[in-house]
Amino acid sequence: MSKTVEIIIEGKSYQLPVIEGTEGEKAIDISNLRDMTGYVTLDVGYKNTGATTSAITFLDGEAGILHYRGYPIEQLAEKSSFLETAYLLIFGELPNKSQLEKWESDIRRRTLVNEDMRKIFDGFPVNAHPMGVLAALASSLATFYPAVIDPNRDVDANYLRITRLIAKLPTIAAWAHKNSQGHPLNYPKNKYNYCENFLYMMFALPVEDYEPDPVVVDALNKLLILHADHEQNCSTSTVRLAGSSHVSLYSSVSAGISSLWGPLHGGANQEVLEMLEAIQKDGGNVEKFVEKAKDKNDGFRLMGFGHRVYKNFDPRAKIIKVACDNVLNRLGVNDPLLEIAKKLEEIALKDDYFVERKLYPNVDFYSGIIYKAIGIPTDMFTAMFALGRLPGWIAQWYEMRKEKQPIGRPRQIYTGATQRDYVALDKRG
Ligand code: ACO
């Protein structure tokens, strides 16, 4: 017999179904609550609300577990490639050899963007933030490829749209960077794999030879895999909510990019580096900044610390910390910011304030240091996160559309003025 829970409202008892996930997560299904009782639930920030069932990513914040389609993130980061992981997330299974070859080749031959899109870059200010450019250009794809196709009807068109987006976003991101430098834009070179191509478009200059460094390629591959999905986070929920109106995939992803930009979400990796630089500039007194973070009147937070769901440790931060050391050692980079980061971590992890609130370094704490070491400018950090998160957004959008989920439309509890009559201007005090 399926489980139920009893709730009693105004003395009347109601049975609500219990939904149990494959990893034992339990939820009370309130989808008929309003019809049954006239009540809705209130959960600002969705701290206790499951917005969907999903078979893509499993995350246990208390135990520090992250799985994509059942595969532990540690194994994927060590053994998989970003494009293989993207296939897994979007289509549900690891590809076989021929599926992977086709997938990689279908993406490889769509890396060029329409020449008319190039002209859009000219309209942005020189110092335009790459995330603004990325969101605008991702959205503009919907105007270059306007057909809105039902994912349940035209599977091939959908595949085309997905490969196109994965192929073109790195080109757009690298061009946003080149444009901000006033450098000529590099066209993709399809002899390169996904990560190599991105690095080539980011860093190659017409005046000198450039070959992507395998150490850097490997680090980038890991970083992208670690960011590839994180179930119903702010930007992913945005993608699902926007897509639930049946707007195109490109527009939905553009909404996700905008949401990711915020400093409490993907924007944190940029803020981490800026914070470390500020501490360095101030003389390197880490204790002073820890105290500032604890002072409620100060407003300063330790960026890269804390997470909405990880209340033990962030498994991605563990992998990245090792990757970070490797990259810095192998590239021979001696970064004083890393010393500040390590000291900050050490002090904060022992401090009662952070221990009591279960605030640990998150994935963004170390990713910025790696990006800096491999030459990515600070204002591109969040765009790097967006490139990594893209397969997750697509997978979540695809799942939502294939399941024919209804348009998302939360309720509210109104707390404003009750009905009153309009007051003429000369009668207002
Ligand atoms: N520094 C200092 N204090 C903090 C920090 C921090 N980084 N994070 C949380 N706290 C404190 C809060 O002030 C609060 O204290 P209180 O209980 O005394 O009022 C308590 O810890 C709980 O914090 P909330 O903000 O309620 O936790 P929430 O789950 O809503 O927020 C968040 C999580 C947004 C990530 C928060 O920890 C934060 O702002 N961190 C810094 C930004 C950051 O690194 N974001 C990246 C997240 S990872 C990602 O998006 C990939």
Side-chain angles (χ1 to χ4, degrees):
M1 223 187 79
S2 47
K3 280 188 201 159
T4 57
V5 293
E6 180 187 22
I7 58 162
I8 297 168
I9 298 179
E10 292 169 13
K12 205 170 160 200
S13 159
Y14 301 88
Q15 295 295 322
L16 295 175
V18 168
I19 308 286
E20 200 163 331
T22 48
E23 291 276 5
E25 288 172 302
K26 293 179 192 66
I28 302 165
D29 180 352
I30 56 146
S31 29
N32 292 321
L33 186 70
R34 190 166 179 275
D35 284 345
M36 281 163 69
T37 66
Y39 278 67
V40 295
T41 55
L42 178 64
D43 183 18
V44 178
Y46 308 118
K47 295 196 179 197
N48 291 287
T49 297
T52 185
T53 55
S54 177
I56 300 169
T57 289
F58 171 66
L59 194 169
D60 181 338
E62 276 72 32
I65 290 173
L66 177 62
H67 294 168
Y68 295 163
R69 302 280 187 187
Y71 296 102
I73 189 68
E74 292 80 3
Q75 292 180 22
L76 293 168
E78 194 192 328
K79 297 176 182 159
S80 184
S81 72
F82 176 61
L83 284 190
E84 184 186 55
T85 299
Y87 186 101
L88 169 72
L89 283 167
I90 296 167
F91 301 110
E93 294 296 337
L94 283 168
N96 62 29
K97 197 163 177 288
S98 67
Q99 284 169 329
L100 183 60
E101 278 167 11
K102 178 170 169 11
W103 173 241
E104 286 176 345
S105 128
D106 287 339
I107 290 170
R108 201 176 287 238
R109 62 201 177 83
R110 297 202 166 92
T111 48
L112 268 181
V113 302
N114 190 305
E115 277 297 298
D116 284 339
M117 275 184 87
R118 253 193 90 141
K119 295 183 197 147
I120 303 177
F121 283 91
D122 297 338
F124 288 106
V126 179
N127 56 356
H129 195 285
M131 283 300 274
V133 177
L134 204 60
L137 272 286
S139 185
S140 81
L141 283 170
T143 66
F144 286 87
Y145 309 100
V148 174
I149 293 162
D150 182 347
N152 293 296
R153 290 220 191 111
D154 197 337
V155 174
D156 290 343
N158 230 42
Y159 178 84
L160 170 69
R161 181 161 317 139
I162 288 168
T163 51
R164 189 188 279 148
L165 190 51
I166 294 180
K168 293 186 197 315
L169 209 64
T171 311
I172 295 170
W175 282 11
H177 165 63
K178 283 287 184 193
N179 199 53
S180 73
Q181 303 289 297
H183 288 171
L185 309 184
N186 288 324
Y187 284 90
K189 270 206 167 111
N190 287 353
K191 68 172 183 176
Y192 290 131
N193 69 28
Y194 191 83
C195 290
E196 290 167 342
N197 215 351
F198 175 71
L199 292 168
Y200 164 78
M201 290 187 285
M202 278 288 291
F203 297 123
L205 287 167
V207 288
E208 57 196 27
D209 292 335
Y210 176 85
E211 269 309 312
D213 180 332
V215 176
V216 176
V217 172
D218 183 56
L220 179 59
N221 186 56
K222 270 199 178 53
L223 278 161
L224 295 180
I225 290 175
L226 293 177
H227 284 90
D229 194 46
H230 213 230
E231 49 119 302
Q232 308 311 314
N233 56 83
C234 180
S235 56
T236 302
S237 301
T238 302
V239 169
R240 286 185 88 121
L241 192 58
S244 76
S245 76
H246 294 195
V247 71
S248 88
L249 171 63
Y250 308 123
S251 307
S252 306
V253 164
S254 170
I257 294 170
S258 297
S259 154
L260 187 73
W261 192 0
L264 295 191
H265 190 15
N269 55 14
Q270 173 169 349
E271 303 263 339
V272 169
L273 210 89
E274 285 168 359
M275 173 187 77
L276 296 175
E277 282 167 352
I279 298 175
Q280 187 190 29
K281 227 172 157 186
D282 194 66
N285 186 346
V286 171
E287 286 86 353
K288 177 178 155 191
F289 283 83
V290 171
E291 287 311 310
K292 267 165 78 67
K294 288 155 59 173
D295 180 357
K296 294 286 171 210
N297 298 319
D298 191 301
F300 171 78
R301 280 193 165 194
L302 279 194
M303 298 314 284
F305 268 76
H307 198 277
R308 171 57 64 79
V309 287
Y310 291 123
K311 300 299 180 194
N312 183 344
F313 66 91
D314 180 341
R316 303 166 302 170
K318 255 190 168 177
I319 301 168
I320 280 203
K321 190 176 174 181
V322 176
C324 185
D325 281 340
N326 288 345
V327 169
L328 297 187
N329 284 340
R330 281 163 72 181
L331 292 181
V333 176
N334 197 354
D335 193 338
L337 293 187
L338 185 65
E339 290 314 309
I340 294 178
K342 283 187 173 158
K343 205 161 161 204
L344 197 59
E345 185 189 18
E346 199 186 306
I347 296 173
L349 286 181
K350 281 196 219 129
D351 192 292
D352 283 350
Y353 174 96
F354 291 88
V355 174
E356 277 162 19
R357 289 169 180 76
K358 299 186 164 65
L359 300 170
Y360 298 87
N362 58 50
V363 67
D364 288 326
F365 192 66
Y366 284 101
S367 60
I369 296 170
I370 304 188
Y371 286 138
K372 181 164 184 276
I374 65 181
I376 308 269
T378 316
D379 71 354
M380 273 294 288
F381 288 2
T382 316
M384 303 302 297
F385 191 157
L387 293 184
R389 186 52 55 86
L390 180 62
W393 288 333
I394 296 173
Q396 302 272 350
W397 170 87
Y398 204 23
E399 179 179 72
M400 181 262 311
R401 292 296 315 275
K402 278 197 295 190
E403 287 179 3
K404 299 190 177 164
Q405 292 190 359
I407 186 166
R409 202 303 186 185
R411 294 268 172 187
Q412 65 161 20
I413 303 298
Y414 176 69
T415 58
T418 51
Q419 184 177 329
R420 47 188 171 163
D421 289 326
Y422 179 80
V423 182
L425 192 53
D426 59 351
K427 300 254 164 45
R428 291 175 218 162

